[in-house]
Amino acid sequence: MFSTMQNGFTASLAIYLDSTWATGSGFDYSVAVNNQSGAHLRDFIFHVGVVGGDLLVNGSNNTDYSLNDGKLTNGSNYTVADAGWYTFEQSFYDDGGNLAVDLNLKDSLGTTVYTKTLGTLDDIAATVGGNRYGYFAFNNVEGLAIDSSQLLGNVVPEPSTFALVCCGITGFVARKRLKRRA
């Protein structure tokens, strides 16, 4: 978890999408931010599901923890025609002092095939903290394949997270030294 956002950050996850999934199959994948005191502020969600035989991708700030045709068909969406690996990327940045997030869908070649920008009135300097989590709020696709989870950018870890990372690194180095002596 991170407590302050500096110059933005990007969270991404590769997910295998199959345009032949059954109608009613899908998932919601969320990445959220904290406020500066470490409490939850807001989610930024990719909605993916099969509606009327089409595999659709859309985005919003809310989930109802189920496949909802409305959240897939309202506003701009993308129809996935070809099965394959797609990168789901949430890019967080300062837009005139407020938080904005681009939900980018990239194909297996890294080409952006869909973008949805979600603007907020969340003040970067006074309100927005940093990354909180990435998780599937809903998933009914059995055996959903995921890979390559990343969090990149200028984020400052809160002290307790930094301490845990340092302890983990210290423990790893100590185990390596013990193995070499054995």
Side-chain angles (χ1 to χ4, degrees):
M1 187 177 342
F2 296 93
S3 60
T4 59
M5 185 175 102
Q6 298 178 354
N7 303 323
F9 64 91
T10 299
S12 66
L13 180 68
I15 304 173
Y16 190 85
L17 301 181
D18 189 343
S19 55
T20 65
W21 289 339
T23 295
S25 298
F27 61 86
D28 283 354
Y29 176 68
S30 174
V31 171
V33 291
N34 287 332
N35 63 25
Q36 291 180 357
S37 66
H40 178 266
L41 180 62
R42 191 174 314 282
D43 285 272
F44 298 89
I45 303 169
F46 275 105
H47 307 289
V48 179
V50 180
V51 177
D54 291 327
L55 180 56
L56 303 177
V57 177
N58 206 340
S60 76
N61 292 108
N62 297 305
T63 184
D64 57 7
Y65 305 101
S66 66
L67 187 70
N68 178 323
D69 291 0
K71 67 185 173 191
L72 290 164
T73 58
N74 289 337
S76 66
N77 60 29
Y78 177 76
T79 302
V80 176
D82 299 316
W85 285 98
Y86 290 82
T87 299
F88 290 76
E89 177 185 272
Q90 284 108 325
S91 180
F92 296 75
Y93 59 94
D94 184 332
D95 182 23
N98 294 322
L99 177 64
V101 180
D102 287 342
L103 301 179
N104 299 311
L105 180 67
K106 298 181 178 186
D107 65 15
S108 61
L109 300 175
T111 303
T112 301
V113 295
Y114 171 75
T115 297
K116 182 161 193 169
T117 300
L118 300 174
T120 73
L121 297 177
D122 300 327
D123 185 286
I124 294 285
T127 305
V128 178
N131 176 260
R132 183 170 182 83
Y133 55 68
Y135 85 111
F136 287 89
F138 165 76
N139 174 27
N140 71 357
V141 178
E142 189 172 331
L144 182 66
I146 62 173
D147 197 7
S148 303
S149 173
Q150 293 186 342
L151 179 63
L152 304 169
N154 295 320
V155 289
V156 178
E158 64 180 303
S160 61
T161 300
F162 185 72
L164 288 172
V165 169
C166 288
C167 287
I169 291 171
T170 303
F172 177 76
V173 170
R175 282 192 302 272
K176 284 288 197 184
R177 287 183 182 157
L178 288 173
K179 284 184 179 180
R180 278 190 234 153
R181 290 181 186 163

